Amino acid sequence: LKSNRKEDSQDPNYTARQRQAEANALVAQLSGLKKHFHDQDVVLLGDMNIMTRETKTPAIFKDAGFKDLNEQEEGTTANWGKGYPSAPFDRIFVPLEQQEFMASKQVVHKPENVERIKDHRRKLSDHY
């Protein structure tokens, strides 16, 4: 979903509204996706750019019958240093009522020291 980059618009609420619109558009396609693949096991995962579960975007997925596996908001981005804490951008949403997902959880594997964090960020990604 849309990044949190403020320079994309003069409107400070633009990025949050854009993520909400994208989430609504995705949810609107889910029934067709399930029908096409003859499968109810739809999992939504990736860089959702969701800063906090208190925003409207996670509620859109929850209202569509999904559970946020990063509801505890564990940071999933490589800490860039002072003033830039790890953010809980990466999320996995699983079907709430399906038995096979009842024990599902999201685990974030992070390097144990600053040098390895720098290596991870430089060689692989700024996300874990």
Side-chain angles (χ1 to χ4, degrees):
L1 301 179
K2 176 71 181 107
S3 74
N4 288 285
R5 292 173 50 140
K6 300 294 184 206
E7 63 269 15
D8 288 344
S9 172
Q10 296 297 326
D11 177 357
N13 298 313
Y14 167 74
T15 60
R17 280 197 323 273
Q18 181 63 31
R19 277 190 298 282
Q20 292 164 29
E22 292 170 355
N24 281 318
L26 177 58
V27 165
Q29 298 300 313
L30 291 178
S31 63
L33 179 81
K34 291 175 183 180
K35 184 178 179 182
H36 176 79
F37 288 104
H38 307 287
D39 197 341
Q40 297 300 305
D41 298 338
V42 174
V43 175
L44 309 175
L45 68 137
D47 183 355
M48 302 284 185
N49 287 306
I50 296 172
M51 295 289 284
T52 173
R53 66 181 173 267
E54 303 302 322
T55 62
K56 293 180 182 177
T57 304
I60 293 167
F61 295 130
K62 286 181 183 180
D63 290 347
F66 289 89
K67 174 184 175 183
D68 182 0
L69 296 185
N70 196 8
E71 198 165 64
Q72 298 305 311
E73 307 207 313
E74 185 173 358
T76 62
T77 57
N79 187 330
W80 288 91
K82 191 174 184 179
Y84 296 95
S86 184
F89 290 158
D90 301 283
R91 307 270 177 153
I92 302 172
F93 290 89
V94 297
L96 180 63
E97 299 297 328
Q98 285 183 239
Q99 184 64 35
E100 60 268 39
F101 294 107
M102 293 296 178
S104 296
K105 61 183 178 177
Q106 181 172 331
V107 177
V108 180
H109 299 277
K110 300 178 184 180
E112 66 276 1
N113 64 51
V114 174
E115 287 308 311
R116 292 214 174 165
I117 290 172
K118 288 179 184 176
D119 281 346
H120 182 90
R121 190 173 56 232
R122 190 180 76 239
K123 294 177 182 176
L124 301 172
S125 175
D126 62 338
H127 292 248
Y128 300 124

